[in-house]
Every structure is written in C-alpha cells, then in structure tokens.
Amino acid sequence: MDNFIISLKIVSKYAGYQSEKEIQCQVRIFVVGIGFFSLCFLMTSLGGQFSAKRLGDSPFTIRTEVLGGVESRGVLRKISDMLEVILKRMDSLSKLDNTSTTDARRLDELSSAINRFQPAGLMERIQAIAQNVSNMAIRVEQILQNSMVQSRVVRDGTSSQCEVPRDPRFPECPGKVDWMRARWTSDPCYAFYGVDGSDCSFLIYLSEVEWFCPPLAWRNHSSLPTQHTQQAKPPKRQAAFRTDLSVLLDQVGAGKESLSFMKRRIRRLTQQWATAANRLDAKLEQRWRDQKKILVHVGFLTEESGDVFSPKVLKGGPLGEMVQWADILTALHVLGHNLKISMSVKELQGFLGVPPGRGSCPLTGPLPFDLIYTDYHGLQQMKQHMGLSLKKHKCHIRVIDTFGTEPAYNHEEYATLHGYRTNWGYWNLNARQYMTMFPHTPDNSFMGFVSEELNETEKRSIQQNKVNNMAVVYGKEASMWKLQQGKEGFLQILHRYMEVHGTVYYETQRPPEVPAFVKNHGLLPQHELQQLLRKAKLFIGFGFPYEGPAPLEAIANGCIFLQPKFHPPHSSLNHEFFRGKPTSREVFSQHPYAEQYIGRPHVMTVDYNNSLEFDSAIREIMRMEVEPYLPYEYTCEGMLERVHAYIQHQDFCAPEPPFISANLSRQGSAGGSRMMGPLFVPQPNSTALSWASNVTAPTAWPPLSSLRLLVSQEGQSCVQSCQSAGFICEPAHFRFINNKEALHGLEVQCEVVDSEINHILPAFSVVRRECGLQREPLLFSCAGHSPKYRRLCPCRDFRHGQVALCRDCL
C-alpha cells in the first residue's frame, strides 16, 4: 500500500463572481481503491477546474512515499493510467461554457449538496493528514533513477572510480555528497549540470561546477567548466567619452512612469553632460582609461521588489532615488563604458547567465561583467538567483545606498553577536562598496547625483528677478503639512513676513492639511518648479524628507534654504524613520550636507521650537542677498570626475597583501635593507602625522601622500576627529596605521598590545594603558566610537569642492 497526496483546486464560476475551494486529500490507496479518484473526478466535473503542480511538469502533482518494491510499481503504473484518463476528461470539461444562469444555478445546487454530504470535521482531518506525508513522486523518481544508475555503474565498471574521497584539502566533500544524495532533485539546476542521482554525477558536479570535492582523475580536465579554469582575459579596450545619449535612452526602456521620469531628466541635462565630458577629457589629458563591462540592475524598480515608487511619480512620491539612478546611468554611459541595464529579475538572469532553476547552482560561465551597480533590493535578488556565485563575485558589486552602511552592521557575524543586525546590512562587503547619495559616511564611497548648473547670464537674471518676500515650502505630500506636528507656530510667523507657496499634490480638492494662506501650485513639472524657485527668496524645510536633492536645486537657483535643527539628533535609536537602517549616524538637521558643506549664507539651520530664533532668521533672510551656488561635486563634471576615479582605481577583487612595516626601505639605504627610522613624522604646525617622505610608500589608492594620522578624543569617532582638523577619514588607510609603529609615532604608552575583533580598533585606553589593533579588516570603521577609548584615525586631505577625492587622487 502507498501514500499519496493529491492537490485539487475547484474554481466555480458563477454569473457575477468567482469562488475557490481548495482541497488537499491524502488517502491510503489500495490497488482496487478507486473510490477516492471517483469522488475527486465528480467534484471537478461540477463545473470546476482541476489544478495542481508537479516538479518540472504541470498541471498535476503527485508526491509519493513508496512502501514496497515491485508491488508498489504496479500500483503506481495503474494509478498513472487512471490519471491520464482523468486528466483528459478534465481538459474537455474545462472547456465547457458555465456562464449561463441555468448552469450556474445547477452548479450552486450541486456544490451545496456536496457541502451537506461532508461529515463534520472531514476537511480538517484531511488537511491534518495531508501535512504528514510529502515528496511521493520525487522519491519514486529518485528510486527508479538510482536503480538505473546503479545498474549502469555496475555494468560499466566505474563504481570504484566514484568512491567519495576523504581528502583533508576538501573536508566538506563527504557532507556535500550526502546532501546531494538527499536533495539533488530540490532544484532543476542540478539536472541542468548533468546530475542524475549517481555518486559519479555528484562528484563531477561538486568538483567541476562547485569546488567542494577534488577533481576526478579519470575526467578530462582540459574541458572543465569555469570554476577551476583560468579564463584568458580579453584585451583591454580604451574608454572614450560619449556626448550622444540616444543609445542610453533606448536602453532605459519604457512602460513605467519612473522610467519616463528618468528619461526626461537625461534629455534635459544632455548639453550639460556633453560640456562636462569635454572639460574632464581635457583635464585628464587624453590619458588611457580602461573600458569596463558594467551591469546596472535597478532592483527597487523591479516588479519582484514591489516597485512602490513608479505609481507615485505623478502623485508627489519620492524622486530622489530615480534622480540618482538616472545620473549614475548617464555618467557611466558618458564615460564610455560598455553598459547593460536590467529592470527585471528575468533580465538580470539573462545578463548573468543564471542556470534554470531556483538559484542553488553557480552561474553557467565566468561573470560577464567587470562591475555591477545595484541596490539592496537587487543584491537580495542576486543572492536568490546566483547561488554560490554571489560569494565568488561579490567583489565586483557596488551597492547604491542612500543613507549608508557602517562596518559594524556590514559584518554578518559581528553584527549578530553585538546587536547591529538589521534587515539590510550583514553582506560582508568592503564598506567602500556601498555608495551613498551624500558624503555623510566616509566608510562608504560617495556616489552623489547632479543638479543643473547655471551659466553667468542665468545667474544675473535670477538675482535681478528675485521676489524678496516669496517662500516655497519643501514638501510635495500633504502628510508633511499636518499641523498637529507643531508646524502652525512657525508657519504663522513665516506668513507674517512672506507670501508662502506650496507644490502639494492633489487630485480634485485642495488638501485640507495645507493652510488657506498658502498658494498651492500642485505638483509641478521640473521646469515649472525651477521657474518658481528662481523667483523665490526662501526654500523652507519642515524636517522631512531627510537629505533629498531638492535643497541643492533650490540653492543652485538662488534660494536660501532654511531648515530645522534637531535636538536631540535623530538616529536609529530614537526615530522611526532610521530604525532598522544599517547605521548609527546621528542627524542634527534635515539636511546635514547643506549645513556642514555649504552653510551660511546659503543655508540657515535654526531651532523651529524657538519662535524668537525663527522670527529673527526670517527677518535676516529678507535682508540678505545671495548668488546661486552649486558645489562642484554636484555638477556633471564633478560627478564624472568622481565616478571615473572610482572605476579606474577601486579594486576590491585583488587581494590586499598584509602590510608589514619591516619590509619597507628608506630612500638611499642599501638595496634590500630593512627600514630604519620612524614610519610617520609630524606635520608642520599640526598635531597630525604624515607618511615619512624618505620611506618608500606601498602602492595604494588613495596614495599614502594624502594620509594624516590623528588621535581622537574619548567618545569621538574618526569621522568627527578628522572633520574637526579639516580632513576626511579615509578607511583605505586603516591597514597602514594598524600597527605598533603608529602607536609609537603618536607617543602612546602601551603596557599591553592586543589584536582583537572590534569596530573601534585600532584604539587605546589612557587609563588602563591598553592598546588594541584590529584583527578583522572588514571592521575598520571611521564611524566607531567608545567613551573609554581614543582611536587612531587615518585622515586625508581632499580636493576643493570634491570631498571624495584626495589632492593626488586623479
């Protein structure tokens, strides 16, 4: 006797609606036990459709757990024949027209009769039984295939060649073979690679497609797949700047409002990108630039991720991410790289060469790209479909990450053990592979976006036509205007001095959240919004959204940006918006970049809860005259320069050799002699140390000529320590200061020097005279801080207007 699970779905189509009944039945079927199939057939013949699933097949699922040998096969054969007949009958029944009133009434009556026929609790008992047995048909198929394979192996005399090896170099091999024996049918990709249920096929797969077992001596290794074969690298090609964006516009595609928005932005900025490309080309003096093969997978716009952004483009939804992605695509295209764009999981699978199945197997060949730009949604999709290949190729990935990911959240084991685990981080990337919208997290790379740049004529025209008492409110969604959030006080003060304008989305009626004295223009197209900003004197923020592109656009059009000061600062510890994000960063205002890197007179940050301070700020703004201003790093040229430097110099795939100071040599010393003298020397008129000029610097990017070594105060991060000295923390330099030479150069007194895993290291305790060096390079962190320790901080200089690059970085 055998156990079966049969899944039936009855879809009853009535005149005005559709109802579904789904029954899972498990019965013990004897050779003559035909009653169950008759009942199921009766139920499906009552106007329904029979539906279920079968691995690699459809539309029927049988899962069997076979008890017995030849007898069971006979039972299965008879049942299979019966099912063929039943399925044919159901196919013809499913084509019958059940839409007439008479048929619908008859269907209803018959369904009611069956419902009355069922004993109380029958469905519950059936469902409870159904949960106890699974994998019937798969197991039968495995048994049959294994018996066939074993007979073939015995016949061919190859069984001795497929004994599972016990090789200390491949300790996981026996366990992986056991796993394959039990689960190889769980994903069709294994069969795609030739796995057939035999130990031979398991060992071939585990040694040639994956890398858990040693190569088999009797296999032809000259034709092995790519996991162990060094592919001949194609010759390098030179990248050439492009000014024609028509090919890019075709690649972006259509069919979504988000894509239409991105294409409109690309078209509008075409001339500015062309001008910027010519300027950068001249600055680089025609030097060689490697052309890279780049895949851009915009995960948050895929249907598989839910794509909540596209439907809101014309309804006041957030546009910052789309602004940034449009600019990233344009920058990569203009820089002359070979670009592929994916907006769906299906496109992603095709570009990567993902084998058919559920993502358990590696890619079918070498990674066809030098770089992959994606987001957290896309990273998760790649994990689902790339299998082990993601771990192998993750050094090629760049993650566009608006708010940043700090190293303590990125290291999976450390985050789990120390309370930093969130829904986003824990990918074990180099923290510089995360690329942010603003340069707020030096542990990450700053990608950014662009704002439109005005020429001198446009700037003069704006200054001449400014309306001194006109303010525009930063907030397109009505929910941002809710007065119960404490806005009525400062809005009344603002209204006392200025004419207040809004751009709040609405469909038919004015949003009730917007006060009557506000002139609401509704959601404006970009060019109309720019005209409004060019007239306005003030652009005022309500405290949300955080760190968007709009304030930079307003400042570039000659507005003064007024924003609230946060006390206490907002963070993942006290604010819902940041909760769950992989960062402990504290936000002291709505737009920290504008406050810190632009500042007065273009940006004013005040306490909105202090009416006198707010009133004074409004009156001061009305007296001020400012010119339109745009930081260089947010121009097209600035973004091209930055992205060019990252592509040509950042390489997270090449292993970093351990830094051993004893192997360095001084200029003028005998060849091969060890370095003598200090590694770090004091900077003139500064507390910082720099790399000794007479010591040969290892090859690094940024170059070690930019290094400035500082000590933080207790409780201070290296981000703060470097900023207070006019520098930027540079995580790439941590490995050069994570040593006793740096401690000695800073005259730190250490009774004990330990090597540990902690994101605040290298650091020392003055009280205990304890010093700690970092043992896990992924945890080198500019953001880490502790009230008990002072940190060793690798700061660097930076180019004027381009904080992401040091002076010698180009």
Side-chain angles (χ1 to χ4, degrees):
M1 135 175 106
D2 304 85
N3 296 338
F4 286 79
I5 294 175
I6 312 292
S7 295
L8 298 172
K9 179 186 263 187
I10 302 172
V11 181
S12 304
K13 294 185 178 178
Y14 291 81
Y17 66 97
Q18 189 179 80
S19 67
E20 293 189 12
K21 297 180 183 178
E22 196 166 320
I23 300 175
Q24 273 201 328
C25 306
Q26 179 190 20
V27 294
R28 290 189 175 270
I29 301 175
F30 298 88
V31 176
V32 294
I34 311 302
F36 171 75
F37 286 103
S38 301
L39 174 61
C40 290
F41 181 53
L42 170 64
M43 294 169 70
T44 55
S45 64
L46 296 176
Q49 293 178 342
F50 192 101
S51 174
K53 301 173 185 176
R54 176 174 174 178
L55 185 65
D57 212 339
S58 64
F60 197 79
T61 294
I62 305 180
R63 298 193 181 109
T64 65
E65 193 168 333
V66 178
L67 307 176
V70 178
E71 294 178 349
S72 295
R73 259 187 230 177
V75 173
L76 287 172
R77 191 175 299 111
K78 291 180 181 181
I79 292 173
S80 177
D81 294 339
M82 291 177 62
L83 288 177
E84 289 294 330
V85 175
I86 291 171
L87 287 173
K88 290 178 181 178
R89 294 283 301 276
M90 286 188 294
D91 284 340
S92 60
L93 282 170
S94 65
K95 298 174 183 177
L96 294 177
D97 184 7
N98 293 321
T99 60
S100 70
T101 304
T102 303
D103 289 343
R105 186 171 60 253
R106 185 178 305 163
L107 175 63
D108 194 21
E109 293 171 356
L110 289 171
S111 297
S112 300
I114 288 181
N115 288 335
R116 290 195 300 271
F117 171 77
Q118 293 175 354
L122 174 62
M123 293 306 301
E124 289 75 8
R125 290 200 298 273
I126 290 175
Q127 290 173 352
I129 295 171
Q131 293 176 359
N132 295 329
V133 180
S134 64
N135 295 328
M136 287 174 57
I138 295 175
R139 294 290 296 163
V140 170
E141 190 174 351
Q142 285 183 343
I143 292 169
L144 295 175
Q145 287 186 348
N146 281 336
S147 65
M148 293 170 60
V149 169
Q150 292 301 324
S151 63
R152 185 170 67 247
V153 167
V154 171
R155 184 175 63 252
D156 295 343
T158 58
S159 58
S160 61
Q161 295 177 319
C162 296
E163 292 180 0
V164 179
R166 303 287 175 177
D167 190 328
R169 297 172 303 164
F170 298 88
E172 296 181 76
C173 183
K176 290 293 181 180
V177 172
D178 289 340
W179 188 95
M180 291 289 288
R181 285 169 178 158
R183 301 292 304 278
W184 74 273
T185 57
S186 64
D187 194 322
C189 70
Y190 296 116
F192 172 82
Y193 279 116
V195 175
D196 59 12
S198 67
D199 281 0
C200 282
S201 68
F202 298 153
L203 290 171
I204 292 171
Y205 174 85
L206 290 170
S207 63
E208 298 179 9
V209 178
E210 296 183 11
W211 45 88
F212 295 105
C213 294
L216 301 174
W218 51 273
R219 291 282 292 171
N220 178 12
H221 298 296
S222 62
S223 59
L224 289 183
T226 60
Q227 297 299 340
H228 297 292
T229 305
Q230 291 294 325
Q231 300 291 312
K233 290 187 177 181
K236 291 184 177 181
R237 299 183 61 181
Q238 184 171 8
F241 283 99
R242 301 188 184 105
T243 56
D244 182 357
L245 304 184
S246 58
V247 173
L248 173 64
L249 290 167
D250 290 339
Q251 284 184 288
V252 171
K256 288 186 175 184
E257 196 55 47
S258 54
L259 302 182
S260 299
F261 171 85
M262 293 167 66
K263 290 170 77 170
R264 287 194 297 271
R265 177 175 177 83
I266 292 170
R267 289 191 189 97
R268 190 172 68 253
L269 295 174
T270 296
Q271 186 54 53
Q272 295 205 10
W273 284 110
T275 302
N278 293 330
R279 287 177 182 169
L280 183 58
D281 193 19
K283 182 186 294 187
L284 296 177
E285 299 176 342
Q286 308 293 320
R287 79 180 63 162
W288 177 277
R289 295 183 301 114
D290 288 343
Q291 185 187 62
K292 304 289 186 180
K293 295 179 180 179
I294 299 176
L295 171 64
V296 177
H297 177 61
V298 188
F300 83 103
L301 290 182
T302 62
E303 294 299 327
E304 291 82 359
S305 71
D307 187 12
V308 298
F309 288 83
S310 296
K312 296 183 178 180
V313 168
L314 300 179
K315 297 183 178 181
L319 301 176
E321 286 83 358
M322 282 167 270
V323 165
Q324 187 180 33
W325 276 108
D327 296 345
I328 291 170
L329 289 170
T330 311
L332 296 173
H333 176 83
V334 169
L335 286 169
H337 298 291
N338 187 347
L339 196 61
K340 300 293 183 185
I341 303 172
S342 164
M343 298 283 183
S344 71
V345 169
K346 185 176 181 180
E347 289 177 316
L348 174 69
Q349 291 174 314
F351 284 135
L352 292 177
V354 174
R358 300 187 180 92
S360 302
C361 303
L363 302 182
T364 56
L367 187 71
F369 299 99
D370 300 302
L371 292 170
I372 300 174
Y373 289 84
T374 189
D375 52 26
Y376 266 123
H377 294 284
L379 193 58
Q380 186 63 44
Q381 291 165 352
M382 292 170 67
K383 178 183 178 181
Q384 292 172 355
H385 296 281
M386 287 179 68
L388 290 169
S389 293
L390 179 64
K391 183 177 181 180
K392 180 182 178 68
H393 298 305
K394 68 181 182 181
C395 61
H396 299 275
I397 296 172
R398 306 292 183 268
V399 182
I400 306 305
D401 176 17
T402 301
F403 295 99
T405 298
E406 294 175 1
Y409 295 82
N410 169 65
H411 191 287
E412 183 176 17
E413 183 179 358
Y414 187 83
T416 303
L417 292 175
H418 295 86
Y420 294 101
R421 182 71 181 247
T422 69
N423 291 333
W424 298 106
Y426 66 82
W427 288 93
N428 292 325
L429 302 176
N430 186 306
R432 285 172 287 156
Q433 291 177 253
Y434 300 101
M435 312 191 86
T436 59
M437 184 171 277
F438 290 95
H440 46 58
T441 307
D443 290 304
N444 306 151
S445 298
F446 162 45
M447 171 58 78
F449 59 94
V450 306
S451 286
E452 294 189 45
E453 192 174 3
L454 305 179
N455 58 40
E456 293 304 317
T457 303
E458 290 171 323
K459 290 179 181 178
R460 284 194 299 269
S461 174
I462 286 174
Q463 290 179 281
Q464 293 168 0
N465 293 292
K466 280 290 178 185
V467 179
N468 201 46
N469 66 338
M470 180 178 173
V472 175
V473 174
Y474 181 18
K476 298 177 296 182
E477 295 187 58
S479 60
M480 299 176 186
W481 290 70
K482 289 181 180 178
L483 297 182
Q484 62 265 34
Q485 297 173 354
K487 299 183 176 68
E488 60 266 58
F490 66 79
L491 275 175
Q492 287 294 340
I493 296 174
L494 180 63
H495 175 52
R496 190 187 310 158
Y497 294 101
M498 288 188 160
E499 183 181 85
V500 184
H501 293 249
T503 58
V504 184
Y505 168 78
Y506 67 96
E507 293 183 356
T508 55
Q509 296 181 342
R510 178 186 178 90
E513 297 89 345
V514 180
F517 59 78
V518 175
K519 183 178 181 181
N520 185 31
H521 300 263
L523 193 64
L524 295 176
Q526 183 65 23
H527 67 281
E528 293 184 29
L529 176 61
Q530 281 208 328
Q531 293 304 315
L532 187 66
L533 293 175
R534 291 183 180 189
K535 290 181 181 179
K537 180 68 172 289
L538 173 65
F539 189 64
I540 179 170
F542 280 168
F544 187 85
Y546 300 99
E547 301 178 308
L552 264 66
E553 295 174 351
I555 296 167
N557 282 286
C559 294
I560 295 172
F561 177 50
L562 179 64
Q563 64 170 346
K565 182 185 300 180
F566 299 148
H567 184 75
H570 295 181
S571 73
S572 58
L573 298 178
N574 63 9
H575 204 275
E576 189 61 34
F577 179 82
F578 290 103
R579 191 163 289 122
K581 290 182 171 57
T583 176
S584 299
R585 182 167 62 99
E586 294 182 323
V587 177
F588 289 84
S589 63
Q590 180 176 357
H591 207 291
Y593 175 87
E595 178 184 11
Q596 180 183 344
Y597 289 95
I598 301 178
R600 296 173 67 98
H602 303 281
V603 179
M604 296 185 66
T605 305
V606 301
D607 182 1
Y608 280 22
N609 294 318
N610 185 328
S611 57
L612 292 177
E613 183 179 349
F614 186 85
D615 186 288
S616 175
I618 298 299
R619 287 186 282 110
E620 182 181 358
I621 288 169
M622 294 183 70
R623 294 192 301 267
M624 294 168 63
E625 296 291 336
V626 298
E627 296 182 359
Y629 174 74
L630 179 63
Y632 173 76
E633 56 201 353
Y634 284 96
T635 65
C636 290
E637 182 182 350
M639 185 168 185
L640 286 176
E641 179 181 88
R642 185 167 61 250
V643 175
H644 150 74
Y646 289 151
I647 290 175
Q648 299 302 319
H649 298 291
Q650 282 187 337
D651 184 358
F652 303 113
C653 296
E656 288 185 338
F659 175 67
I660 303 174
S661 58
N663 293 341
L664 300 175
S665 61
R666 289 192 308 172
Q667 293 179 4
S669 63
S673 66
R674 295 177 61 184
M675 185 198 75
M676 302 294 291
L679 190 60
F680 303 99
V681 296
Q683 279 271 296
N685 303 316
S686 173
T687 58
L689 304 182
S690 61
W691 190 267
S693 59
N694 64 338
V695 177
T696 303
T699 302
W701 193 87
L704 284 173
S705 59
S706 66
L707 172 62
R708 303 293 182 266
L709 175 58
L710 286 174
V711 174
S712 77
Q713 298 300 315
E714 291 173 339
Q716 190 180 43
S717 72
C718 287
V719 176
Q720 298 165 323
S721 180
C722 294
Q723 284 179 350
S724 64
F727 300 120
I728 298 294
C729 182
E730 178 49 66
H733 288 338
F734 264 114
R735 69 190 188 100
F736 299 111
I737 68 164
N738 186 46
N739 48 53
K740 293 180 181 179
E741 286 77 11
L743 292 167
H744 179 73
L746 293 167
E747 299 181 352
V748 177
Q749 302 299 314
C750 303
E751 293 184 0
V752 177
V753 179
D754 289 327
S755 180
E756 302 176 25
I757 296 178
N758 193 304
H759 73 290
I760 67 165
L761 301 178
F764 62 93
S765 169
V766 176
V767 176
R768 301 176 184 175
R769 292 197 171 191
E770 293 176 352
C771 300
L773 301 179
Q774 181 62 260
R775 200 163 75 222
E776 172 51 80
L778 288 182
L779 285 174
F780 283 136
S781 172
C782 292
H785 59 88
S786 168
K788 298 179 181 179
Y789 288 89
R790 300 182 68 181
R791 302 199 55 205
L792 275 64
C793 297
C795 310
R796 64 161 170 81
D797 58 30
F798 56 90
R799 299 171 67 86
H800 178 69
Q802 185 72 284
V803 70
L805 302 180
C806 68
R807 292 172 187 162
D808 297 331
C809 276
L810 279 181

